[in-house]
Amino acid sequence: MKQLLFYSLVFLSLVANAQQNLVNYVKPLIGTEKMGHTYPGATVPFGAVQLSPETDTIPYAVNGRYNGEVYKYCAGYKYEDQTIVGFSHTHFSGTGHSDLGDFLIMPTQGKLQLNPGTASDPKSGFRSSFSHANETAEAGYYKVKLDDDNITAEMTATTRVGMHQYTFPKSDQSHIILDLMAGIYNYDEKTVWTYVRVVNDTLITGYRQTYGWARTRTVYFAMSFSKKFKSYGQKNFDARQAYRGFWGKFDQSKNFPEIAGRKVRMYFDFDTEEGEKVKIKFALSPVSQENALQNMRAEIQGWDFEKVKNQAQATWNKELNKVSIRATEDDKINFYTAMYHAFINPTTYTDVNGEYKGLDQGVHKAEGFNNYTTFSLWDTYRALHPFFNLIQPTRNSDMVKSMMAHYEQNSLHMLPIWSHYANDNWCMSGYHSVSVIADAIIKGVYTGDANTALDACIATANKRNYEGIGYYADLGYIPAERSGVSVSNTLEYAYDDWAIAQIAKKLGRENVYQEFIKRSGNWKNNFDPVSGFMRPKMADGSFKKEFDPLSTNGQGFIEGNSWNYSFFVPHDPASLMAKMGGKKKFAARLDTLFTMHLPDKFFAETEDITRDGIIGGYVHGNEPAHHVAYFYNWTDQAYKTQAQVRHILKMQYKPTPDGLGGNDDCGQMSAWYMFSSLGFYPVSPGGDEYALGSPSIINASLNLENGKIFTIEAINQSDKNVYVQKVLLNGKQLLTPFIKHGDIISGGKLVFYMGGKPR
């Protein structure tokens, strides 16, 4: 389980209009010892720059073997660490794998050191010890005292530019180090090449190419100093570079304006007075050095750090005010921290001139939309993108257009699986971009050509050589001999095919609808009526004999076991319930899931979950069962959905150092929290219905993009009064625990009457 800290804030008055100053309730998430998968730092909503400290330099591999400790550094920052190595400009938020950590900057003073040193002896290198007592994390702002060098580091950001402010002591040996070889999940071959051009005594530009989770990734930069450096230099640590050409005619180590190599660290020297502030603007571009410089000049004029900081926090405040809630202090902190986290990703992937690099490695221009990347779709299709369809519909439409651009530029002619900097890293299973596309089309959010989007979905679903799709299409399931995740893939493909069918139905393409609605029933092929579980099936049609529904190892599932995945039929819970023996038996199986005790061996097989992320056998810390608490709504026991949802909200989300029961996974965990605390959840994205739960807020207003306001009120709501007595929508009592998307976007009022006993 990744544990997190909701960090303390300095209270600021940012907006002088009717908006609430909701940034005061945002406590940026900081990963603790078990999983350092989130980070403090400076970013704006959906920003390309995500500027944050790094706390160690451990390698991805040791003696040629995977180093399990690196998993704790997916975000680069681990709360228990006592040293900071520097501040880099790109990060993933709450993922279980990693990359990025580009362009690490570290201020130092005294004798120049170009090695980071060790955590046990920080003074042996350029890293510094620090204390959380001297650390501040806010939305759009980060500050820390670097104790060993007596330097205060501050940072803020715009969409494409990170701004640093370093307050130095008096010294004639002040330095700023630019580490071009540092990265997250680092190994010797990761940095393919770096290039730096010193334009003048305040400006440098360059680029970095890496081979990592993204196989081909080039990021360009422009770096500008507020003060002229008196000298500069570099060291190339690549001892294996056999051929060096004839550049040896020059002394490239000092004051040489053009640097290239695989393992380069640069330094810039200054004389500083006591308390002098040296500032840096660091702009990124996916296209060119020229575009990076253009981004810098467009987004930050001058050197007013406080102005940029206030703009960043005002931007956050504007976004957070799209939902206004009244709740307990803890719940309000949880909600706006979740909202902050949900609006970090996906990230902007266009320059200010609209250009971006495509999967074909060519330069493209986004015409009529903003291009995005960082699509962790196996996670975020479930709740994050549906939340965007309510609160960020224009952005989500642009995200779908970004997926379509990905498809058009992809030599494999597939929609994204996990989109990442003009790459697909192919992480996780399913083709869940089709779910995001379907949800946007069905809910009237997507403004592009829906038929073209459907064609892209069909092509992706028929990519026979991708992860068992050929077997799935021919047999209706993936044989266990052919895939280690045969069952979960079959279940996820079946759901995605249902989503495709919904688009086809809306567009009147009957043949496509019939084909994919039939495929959406393929989950039945892995259901074993004898055991009542989803189970691996062999090529000969028999179920695999060795089967343990509690195990996560070798049972055909990804990030889950059969107890959780046996409920993964979000698109047809009624049929699943019938397969499991009807309403009473189905509810009893749900009861068992939430109350069982998992043996210790379960945790020996998994890297990313501990008991803290589990309730009974229900694994909230991973996503496959996020909809399951709402399944009681299909039985005669909807009150159990209400009780379980409130239990999960309390157990898995807290404003404490262990505040989140698993990887946030680019906002999915946070989106679950926001939907559930408001009282409803999208069990099956691609449909137009939400299942009701039990709101933890007192009241809320959704300030919709179309100008409408949808309000929610929970009368008599408390920690004890978790059971819904009745629900009124615009004054009319609901007879079933469901509402439609149209009910919300039309504006109106949803009132829950709460009590201490089931109704």
Side-chain angles (χ1 to χ4, degrees):
M1 185 196 87
K2 174 186 59 216
Q3 298 182 326
L4 306 163
L5 175 69
F6 295 79
Y7 212 77
S8 60
L9 292 179
V10 177
F11 283 65
L12 298 174
S13 178
L14 298 177
V15 182
N17 57 24
Q19 290 186 335
Q20 297 182 69
N21 192 21
L22 296 177
V23 294
N24 289 338
Y25 293 97
V26 175
K27 315 299 180 185
L29 306 181
I30 299 175
T32 61
E33 185 172 10
K34 291 184 179 178
M35 288 187 192
H37 295 183
T38 55
Y39 56 87
T43 187
V44 295
F46 308 100
V49 167
Q50 300 190 351
L51 180 54
S52 173
E54 313 292 343
T55 61
D56 213 335
T57 55
I58 67 173
Y60 177 81
V62 176
N63 297 324
R65 298 176 65 87
Y66 169 70
N67 174 17
E69 289 297 303
V70 77
Y71 189 72
K72 300 174 182 177
Y73 288 89
C74 288
Y77 182 99
K78 189 159 77 79
Y79 185 70
E80 284 70 25
D81 287 347
Q82 298 178 2
T83 66
I84 285 176
V85 181
F87 308 93
S88 63
H89 292 78
T90 58
H91 295 84
F92 286 131
S93 177
T95 57
H97 194 81
S98 202
D99 202 342
L100 310 182
D102 298 295
F103 308 119
L104 184 139
I105 291 176
M106 186 63 172
T108 67
Q109 62 93 15
K111 180 183 177 182
L112 177 67
Q113 294 175 293
L114 289 179
N115 191 292
T118 63
S120 60
D121 184 14
K123 293 183 179 180
S124 64
F126 58 70
R127 76 171 71 212
S128 174
S129 59
F130 77 105
S131 167
H132 296 304
N134 295 320
E135 187 183 36
T136 301
E138 300 178 2
Y141 174 68
Y142 178 78
K143 177 181 179 181
V144 69
K145 176 73 174 303
L146 301 173
D147 292 331
D148 292 338
D149 290 287
N150 193 28
I151 296 170
T152 297
E154 298 174 88
M155 49 210 63
T156 187
T158 61
T159 300
R160 301 167 183 86
V161 187
M163 191 171 188
H164 307 239
Q165 180 169 271
Y166 299 117
T167 304
F168 281 88
K170 181 176 177 60
S171 176
D172 60 0
Q173 290 185 304
S174 293
H175 319 285
I176 289 177
I177 293 168
L178 172 62
D179 190 338
L180 293 158
M181 56 189 279
I184 302 173
Y185 270 38
N186 231 356
Y187 44 89
D188 282 346
E189 299 82 12
K190 181 171 182 179
T191 302
V192 178
W193 203 246
T194 55
Y195 170 81
V196 176
R197 180 181 180 87
V198 181
V199 179
N200 55 46
D201 54 9
T202 61
L203 176 65
I204 71 170
T205 63
Y207 64 81
R208 181 179 192 235
Q209 295 176 329
T210 59
Y211 177 94
W213 208 8
R215 188 169 67 174
T216 55
R217 190 174 71 95
T218 304
V219 187
Y220 298 86
F221 75 90
M223 179 182 187
S224 180
F225 295 92
S226 63
K227 176 186 175 79
K228 295 179 179 180
F229 45 82
K230 64 180 182 180
S231 60
Y232 65 95
Q234 64 95 16
K235 183 175 180 180
N236 190 331
F237 289 81
D238 189 6
R240 297 186 304 168
Q241 186 177 341
Y243 180 75
R244 299 177 184 270
F246 296 95
W247 285 86
K249 294 179 179 181
F250 299 98
D251 178 3
Q252 299 175 67
S253 65
K254 294 181 180 179
N255 299 320
F256 192 76
E258 190 168 346
I259 308 299
R262 282 201 321 124
K263 294 186 175 183
V264 173
R265 291 191 180 110
M266 295 194 69
Y267 64 90
F268 304 88
D269 298 329
F270 302 87
D271 293 332
T272 55
E273 299 299 325
E274 185 66 33
E276 183 175 358
K277 300 180 188 302
V278 178
K279 304 174 188 180
I280 297 170
K281 292 185 284 193
F282 202 104
L284 302 182
S285 166
V287 172
S288 67
Q289 298 167 78
E290 180 182 3
N291 277 16
L293 190 56
Q294 185 178 353
N295 291 341
M296 179 192 293
R297 290 169 174 167
E299 293 190 353
I300 303 180
Q301 296 83 39
W303 293 99
D304 190 337
F305 182 89
E306 287 299 315
K307 178 181 178 182
V308 177
K309 171 189 170 183
N310 289 342
Q311 287 174 344
Q313 295 194 315
T315 301
W316 273 114
N317 214 37
K318 178 182 177 182
E319 296 298 323
L320 296 173
N321 270 278
K322 290 181 177 179
V323 181
S324 300
I325 71 166
R326 187 161 66 92
T328 66
E329 192 75 3
D330 282 357
D331 287 341
K332 202 165 186 179
I333 290 170
N334 284 349
F335 189 92
Y336 286 110
T337 299
M339 198 170 179
Y340 164 85
H341 209 203
F343 290 176
I344 290 176
N345 298 295
T347 51
T348 300
Y349 194 61
T350 43
D351 292 325
V352 292
N353 62 7
E355 292 181 343
Y356 66 96
K357 180 176 285 187
L359 271 75
D360 56 5
Q361 302 301 298
V363 176
H364 299 263
K365 191 162 187 176
E367 300 287 356
F369 73 104
N370 290 315
N371 194 41
Y372 291 87
T373 189
T374 317
F375 291 116
S376 183
L377 292 165
W378 184 85
D379 309 292
T380 58
Y381 83 88
R382 305 167 197 268
L384 183 70
H385 286 283
F387 188 77
F388 290 162
N389 281 335
L390 278 179
I391 306 302
Q392 300 276 7
T394 296
R395 285 191 196 271
N396 206 52
S397 179
D398 283 358
M399 290 171 189
V400 172
K401 291 176 183 178
S402 302
M403 294 177 193
M404 290 300 297
H406 178 117
Y407 171 80
E408 292 162 4
Q409 297 153 14
N410 188 349
S411 61
L412 299 177
H413 304 296
M414 291 182 68
L415 288 161
I417 304 299
W418 211 119
S419 170
H420 169 29
Y421 275 75
N423 280 258
D424 202 316
N425 62 40
W426 306 107
C427 187
M428 306 308 290
S429 58
Y431 26 87
H432 296 309
S433 50
V434 307
S435 169
V436 176
I437 292 170
D439 204 48
I441 290 174
I442 296 302
K443 292 173 179 173
V445 167
Y446 182 51
T447 59
D449 187 296
N451 275 289
T452 301
L454 175 57
D455 291 339
C457 293
I458 295 168
T460 302
N462 287 324
K463 195 67 175 179
R464 293 180 59 86
N465 63 342
Y466 178 72
E467 206 167 30
I469 289 178
Y471 296 111
Y472 171 84
D474 294 343
L475 302 175
Y477 68 97
I478 301 171
E481 304 99 316
R482 305 301 182 187
S483 171
V485 290
S486 61
V487 188
S488 55
N489 268 6
T490 297
L491 298 176
E492 293 186 51
Y493 292 162
Y495 160 73
D496 287 332
D497 289 343
W498 173 86
I500 293 173
Q502 304 316 298
I503 308 174
K505 184 177 182 180
K506 183 178 180 67
L507 299 180
R509 293 172 63 171
E510 183 65 21
N511 290 342
V512 175
Y513 172 76
Q514 292 298 336
E515 176 187 356
F516 281 90
I517 202 69
K518 180 180 179 182
R519 281 174 49 153
S520 75
N522 281 345
W523 61 270
K524 299 172 185 176
N525 296 321
N526 277 114
F527 184 80
D528 174 16
V530 176
S531 67
F533 288 102
M534 299 294 178
R535 186 169 175 178
K537 182 176 278 191
M538 311 303 288
D540 64 6
S542 65
F543 286 107
K544 184 180 177 182
K545 293 180 180 179
E546 302 81 13
F547 175 61
D548 179 355
L550 288 177
S551 176
T552 60
N553 186 29
Q555 300 299 317
F557 303 97
I558 189 168
E559 291 197 7
N561 60 16
S562 187
W563 257 108
N564 282 263
Y565 263 106
S566 290
F567 293 105
F568 191 81
V569 189
H571 57 292
D572 196 2
S575 294
L576 178 65
M577 185 164 57
K579 285 282 187 183
M580 289 187 172
K583 290 183 179 181
K584 288 185 178 180
K585 289 185 177 181
F586 187 66
R589 286 180 67 93
L590 290 170
D591 292 345
T592 302
L593 175 69
F594 285 105
T595 58
M596 69 169 59
H597 176 76
L598 285 177
D600 290 340
K601 69 176 184 178
F602 175 89
F603 302 100
E605 296 173 350
T606 179
E607 183 178 42
D608 57 347
I609 290 294
T610 64
R611 286 196 185 277
D612 303 78
I614 294 176
I615 297 174
Y618 166 74
V619 184
H620 191 73
N622 276 330
E623 283 75 14
H626 268 193
H627 61 288
V628 169
Y630 288 90
F631 265 6
Y632 287 108
N633 281 349
W634 277 263
T635 74
D636 295 324
Q637 302 176 44
Y639 69 92
K640 290 183 178 178
T641 282
Q642 298 153 24
Q644 289 297 349
V645 165
R646 291 291 287 274
H647 187 206
I648 296 167
L649 286 169
K650 284 293 183 184
M651 290 290 292
Q652 299 294 305
Y653 302 86
K654 302 175 185 178
T656 64
D658 59 347
L660 192 62
N663 293 340
D664 195 73
D665 285 316
C666 290
Q668 168 57 26
M669 286 278 285
S670 292
W672 190 98
Y673 180 90
M674 288 185 291
F675 267 124
S676 295
S677 64
L678 292 171
F680 54 95
Y681 187 79
V683 167
S684 188
D688 65 348
E689 193 171 66
Y690 301 91
L692 297 183
S694 174
S696 63
I697 50 92
I698 298 169
N699 58 50
S701 294
L702 310 186
N703 302 306
L704 304 173
E705 202 172 87
N706 62 6
K708 305 286 187 178
I709 297 175
F710 185 74
T711 61
I712 302 160
E713 185 175 4
I715 295 175
N716 203 31
Q717 190 274 113
S718 70
D719 286 347
K720 292 183 178 180
N721 293 342
V722 303
Y723 296 105
V724 177
Q725 308 301 297
K726 65 177 179 179
V727 183
L728 301 183
L729 176 63
N730 299 326
K732 183 177 180 181
Q733 185 169 348
L734 295 179
L735 302 179
T736 62
F738 304 96
I739 57 171
K740 298 287 189 179
H741 182 75
D743 296 332
I744 299 174
I745 61 170
S746 297
K749 188 171 186 178
L750 185 69
V751 181
F752 292 83
Y753 290 83
M754 310 300 294
K757 295 181 180 180
R759 180 178 179 275

